């Protein structure tokens, strides 16, 4: 069947649903922390830092990224030995428990320095989970896919990010609107964290019903799993790990302007826009990101992974300065336009990623390779992007310094597309 049709049979629907639902819940959990770091945590947990409270709050977003590689190593090792499905269930549970517990941590006014310490420890748990989650979800979708539709299938777990962003902003916006500004800051912000329990139960139900990757089942049947996947990965494929990391870093740093809460914080605290309205604007842009991500995966099946990446990075680069110019108008309608167009480049550089990563690595080290490239890219890209953006804006007095930083990162990603080969449709077995 040609890749121009978006039709899935029952088993494939179950696989992409399991990958998409799981990543949606994972990223909902991850994003409500990031957004709350810009809107709430500076006063509730890091007030002791004085005028640097917001900077410190944003920095805690990045701390968890340093634990992503550890999560990727653990999940990658077990995923290449035990299977993709088991690790997806474990990472979902780890993320859900840590997020729900965040909603129960007392503020620094109640327990002093213990509050931010507990919050950061739970954020580290989120980082461990996120490091292992993506590789398993992406590979499960791609390894179940027909060879000519891997780009499209792989895009489904990717849209878990914009859906998670949509859900996180929506729940926070609804909670803020219902509770009002004072009660939202006092206790209302906890509700979205506690709701994670309900989402995790639903996610586990979906994921326990999906079959293991047929590619991994073949490896298991022939007993060709690697006992220590990291050894052959870094011995023979270290260059791929680096290039894969640079590709994702260029997408991730730009994406974290909204997913990391920087734009929300800038619009509310610097431009003095209404918090609920800003969250609603980001929700609308998340729909655009969802569409462009699916489009990126679909186009990758027709024209190859890397050509779509290159177009995406060029679009991302071209829109960077106009984006901040429209944001600076403090006009909500223009902000929505800016955010929607901002997501076009993001989707085109995110949709093809699972298919590209899966075709880069041999089966025996694929989970480890994909997960570690993703985790390192997240550190280089999004880990401290909101913190860097806040520091640049504060020091220079202009948000266009942030645009220069993001343009430079995007250019690195564009260059990286010429350092790796495209292998669309290549066999995924050894």
């Amino acid at each position: 069947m040609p890749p121009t049709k978006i039709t899935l049979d029952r088993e494939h629907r179950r696989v992409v649903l399991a990958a998409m639902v799981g990543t949606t819940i994972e990223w909902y959990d991850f994003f409500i922390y990031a957004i709350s770091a810009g809107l709430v945590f500076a006063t509730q947990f890091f007030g002791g830092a004085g005028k640097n409270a917001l900077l410190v709050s944003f920095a805690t977003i990045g701390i968890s990224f340093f634990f992503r590689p550890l999560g990727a190593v653990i999940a990658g090792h077990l995923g290449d030995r035990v299977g993709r499905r088991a690790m997806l269930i474990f990472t979902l549970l780890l993320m859900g428990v840590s997020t729900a517990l965040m909603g129960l941590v007392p503020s620094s006014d109640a327990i002093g320095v213990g509050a931010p310490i507990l919050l950061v420890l739970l954020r580290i748990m989120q980082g461990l989970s996120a490091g292992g989650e993506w590789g398993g979800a992406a590979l499960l979708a791609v390894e179940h896919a027909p060879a000519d539709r891997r780009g499209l299938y792989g895009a489904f777990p990717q849209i878990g990010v914009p859906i998670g962003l949509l859900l996180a902003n929506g729940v926070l916006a609804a909670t803020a609107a219902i509770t009002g500004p004072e009660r939202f800051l006092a206790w209302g912000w906890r509700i979205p964290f506690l709701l994670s329990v309900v989402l995790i139960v639903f996610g586990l139900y979906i994921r326990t019903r999906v079959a293991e990757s047929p590619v991994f089942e073949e490896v298991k049947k022939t007993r060709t799993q690697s006992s220590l996947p990291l050894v052959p990965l870094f011995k023979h494929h270290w260059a791929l790990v680096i290039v894969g990391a640079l590709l994702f870093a260029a997408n991730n740093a730009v994406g974290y302007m909204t997913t990391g809460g920087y734009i929300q914080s800038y619009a509310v605290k610097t431009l003095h826009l209404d918090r609920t309205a800003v969250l609603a604007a980001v929700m609308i842009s998340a729909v655009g990101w969802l569409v462009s991500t699916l489009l990126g995966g679909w186009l990758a099946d027709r024209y190859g992974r890397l050509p779509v990446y290159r177009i995406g990075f060029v679009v991302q680069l071209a829109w960077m300065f106009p984006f901040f110019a429209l944001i600076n108008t403090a006009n909500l309608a223009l902000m929505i336009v800016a955010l929607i167009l901002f997501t076009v480049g993001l989707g085109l550089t995110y949709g093809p990623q699972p298919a590209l990563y899966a075709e880069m690595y041999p089966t025996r080290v694929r989970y480890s390779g994909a997960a570690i490239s993703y985790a390192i890219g997240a550190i280089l890209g999004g880990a401290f992007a909101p913190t860097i953006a806040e520091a640049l804006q504060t020091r220079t007095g202009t948000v266009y310094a942030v645009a220069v930083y993001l343009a430079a990162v995007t250019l690195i990603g564009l260059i990286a597309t010429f350092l790796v080969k495209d292998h669309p449709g290549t066999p995924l077995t050894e």
Side-chain angles (χ1 to χ4, degrees):
M1 186 178 292
T4 52
K5 287 190 175 182
I6 304 179
T7 56
L8 311 175
D9 62 31
R10 185 175 180 180
E11 178 59 29
H12 289 145
R13 282 199 301 269
R14 183 179 296 169
V15 170
V16 297
L17 180 64
M20 182 185 70
V21 168
T23 52
T24 296
I25 295 169
E26 282 266 341
W27 291 114
Y28 164 83
D29 289 349
F30 208 72
F31 291 154
I32 54 174
Y33 182 99
I35 298 167
S36 297
L39 299 177
V40 177
F41 292 163
T43 55
Q44 291 293 312
F45 293 95
F46 303 105
K51 65 179 182 179
N52 294 318
L54 183 59
L55 204 60
V56 173
S57 186
F58 274 138
T60 65
I61 298 173
I63 288 173
S64 69
F65 282 73
F66 286 104
F67 291 86
R68 280 195 184 191
L70 178 59
V73 167
I74 296 171
H77 176 81
L78 294 175
D80 282 328
R81 284 185 55 78
V82 179
R84 287 54 165 136
R85 181 174 171 270
M87 293 315 302
L88 287 178
I89 293 171
F90 172 74
T91 55
L92 191 64
L93 274 172
L94 181 62
M95 179 68 83
V97 170
S98 57
T99 303
L101 289 175
M102 284 177 178
L104 300 175
V105 176
S107 68
S108 56
D109 288 341
I111 61 171
V113 71
I117 291 174
L118 285 173
L119 192 69
V120 170
L121 287 175
L122 291 171
R123 180 63 176 174
I124 288 171
M125 287 177 62
Q126 283 190 326
L128 290 170
S129 173
E133 158 69 21
W134 181 85
L139 294 184
L140 194 69
V142 172
E143 290 179 344
H144 269 279
D148 62 351
R149 303 176 78 190
R150 290 178 193 152
L152 177 61
Y153 278 49
F156 277 93
Q158 300 296 77
I159 66 173
V161 175
I163 297 175
L165 179 63
L166 179 67
L167 194 59
N169 277 273
V171 173
L172 282 166
T175 305
I178 292 169
T179 59
E182 291 184 6
R183 283 181 292 182
F184 177 77
L185 287 174
W187 54 266
W189 64 269
R190 298 180 182 275
I191 295 173
F193 286 84
L194 297 174
L195 282 176
S196 178
V197 174
V198 178
L199 295 175
I200 293 301
V201 171
F202 176 66
L204 287 174
Y205 171 76
I206 296 294
R207 282 199 166 169
T208 53
R209 291 167 57 83
V210 72
E212 179 58 271
S213 158
V215 175
F216 178 78
E217 289 286 14
E218 184 174 333
V219 170
K220 187 176 178 181
K221 186 184 300 182
T222 57
R223 299 179 183 272
T224 54
Q225 302 108 302
S226 176
S227 57
L228 290 171
L230 287 182
V231 174
L233 175 67
F234 285 106
K235 183 177 180 180
H236 302 294
H237 309 290
W238 60 269
L240 291 179
V241 173
I242 294 173
V243 174
L246 292 176
L247 284 170
F248 182 51
N251 168 277
N252 196 234
V254 175
Y256 251 74
M257 291 302 97
T258 54
T259 59
Y262 172 75
I263 291 297
Q264 293 93 318
S265 176
Y266 178 73
V268 172
K269 298 184 177 181
T270 302
L271 302 179
H272 307 295
L273 292 173
D274 176 70
R275 177 186 287 107
T276 302
V278 170
L279 290 173
V282 174
M283 288 171 60
I284 294 171
S285 73
V287 176
W289 192 1
L290 186 158
V291 173
S292 65
T293 299
L294 282 177
L295 177 64
W298 180 75
L299 289 173
D301 283 329
R302 300 200 64 180
Y303 303 108
R305 309 355 174 174
L306 294 177
V308 178
Y309 258 103
R310 289 166 189 151
I311 293 171
F313 281 136
V314 169
V315 171
Q316 198 168 286
L317 191 62
W319 186 242
M320 199 64 65
F321 288 90
F323 169 72
F324 283 104
L326 289 181
I327 295 293
N328 260 354
T329 64
N331 181 295
L332 189 63
L334 291 178
M335 180 179 179
I336 292 171
V337 172
L339 285 167
I340 290 174
L341 294 178
F342 193 59
T343 65
V344 175
L346 282 175
L348 295 180
T349 56
Y350 198 51
Q353 186 178 15
L356 178 68
Y357 275 25
E359 292 163 349
M360 280 167 58
Y361 295 105
T363 308
R364 292 186 299 165
V365 299
R366 184 171 293 135
Y367 198 140
S368 297
I372 292 172
S373 285
Y374 189 88
I376 295 174
I379 292 176
L380 297 176
F384 293 103
T387 310
I388 293 170
E390 178 69 23
L392 285 171
Q393 176 209 327
T394 301
R395 174 163 293 192
T396 64
T398 174
V399 77
Y400 292 108
V402 181
V404 172
Y405 154 60
L406 295 176
V409 174
T410 298
L411 189 59
I412 292 171
L414 181 59
I415 293 170
T417 64
F418 294 95
L419 302 178
V420 65
K421 293 182 179 179
D422 211 347
H423 301 287
T426 188
L428 294 184
T429 50
E430 293 297 303

